[in-house]
Amino acid sequence: MSDLVIDAHMHVWDASWLPEGLRRAWARQGAGRRLPERDPEDVLGHVAVGQSDPDAGLTIAAFDRVGVAAGLIPVVDWTIVGAPAGEHLPIAALNARYEEICARNEGRLYFAAGLDPRHPGARALFEEAAAHPHCRGFKLYPAAGWDLRDPAHAWLFEALVERDLPAVVHCSPLGGDPLQVVRCRPAEVAAVLASYPTLRVSFAHAGIEAWWSEALDCATGWQHAYLELSLWQRLATVDYREFRRRVRMMRSQIGAHRLIFGSDICRGPREDPEGTDLARFLGMVRDLASPYQGDAAVLSDEELGLFLAGNAVRLFDLKECA
């Protein structure tokens, strides 16, 4: 069994890089999560601060501690949906910042550039991002208010196919204020694949709870669709048997060669600074290759190696890590 591990969905950021409008929306969400409700202004100063690791120092130390070879950062373009209250970094500057971070952590970090195709000059922004040496795809986040099937955005998918670059598409109902998550349903992604069947797509989060079976069924019909299981540590922690059952179904329907490991950890001083949570999830994934309470192994050792790294190497062209 290969020991190579790639966390193909994780984040490195600083709170100041996020659009103010988005941070204010997150403050509103946080203010309403308990009674008595708080004033969002009292919450705003704390938003994402505990998840900040701007130089990736905590991340690389955690990777070393846990045994993760490399990580892929999907950059989310929130700059339009988060702009009404101000914008901190234009998307071109944000993508350039991730190129700098990855270059400083050569061989350990890569990124999928963020792009909202509604930007004026979006095609030029695409070309600029794709030219970054550590850019290995594009993160698409239609919940920010745009439709994957809008004919005005066809150029984006044509460009991805022409360059053979994968798309990482947010496929989760999680989000809330100010997002429109229905635009991220796996069926919407499958509709795009009907027009671009050679497009390589990672269904990020694989639908989580509300849409996981839809994600699986949609991915089953397309040769180049991958299910990426970041955030699935939530299920694995509370119901490990059910986690195994679902992964077994995925292996049966689309094959272990189309499963991608990721955590979606936004590491910082208050979120998994030592890598403990990542290590725990990694252990539960590795145990898929072993029997569990009378349940046969879900994956062979070879299939586990594909899930943990081999598939990410192939999808995101991370041959330097292999």
Side-chain angles (χ1 to χ4, degrees), residues 20-42:
E20 183 183 337
L22 182 76
R23 291 190 298 110
R24 288 189 176 278
W26 287 358
R28 293 193 295 271
Q29 290 185 39
R33 288 198 179 115
R34 67 175 186 235
L35 289 175
E37 292 190 2
R38 294 169 289 172
D39 184 338
E41 289 296 322
D42 294 336

Side-chain angles (χ1 to χ4, degrees), residues 49 53 95 103 139 141 213 234 253 256:
V49 172
D53 182 27
N95 285 328
K139 172 64 179 284
Y141 204 88
S213 58
R234 299 182 180 196
Q253 282 193 223

Side-chain angles (χ1 to χ4, degrees), residues 232-244:
W232 278 61
Q233 58 265 44
R234 299 182 180 196
L235 173 63
T237 299
V238 300
D239 192 343
Y240 186 59
R241 185 176 291 277
E242 176 64 11
F243 172 71
R244 291 173 66 95

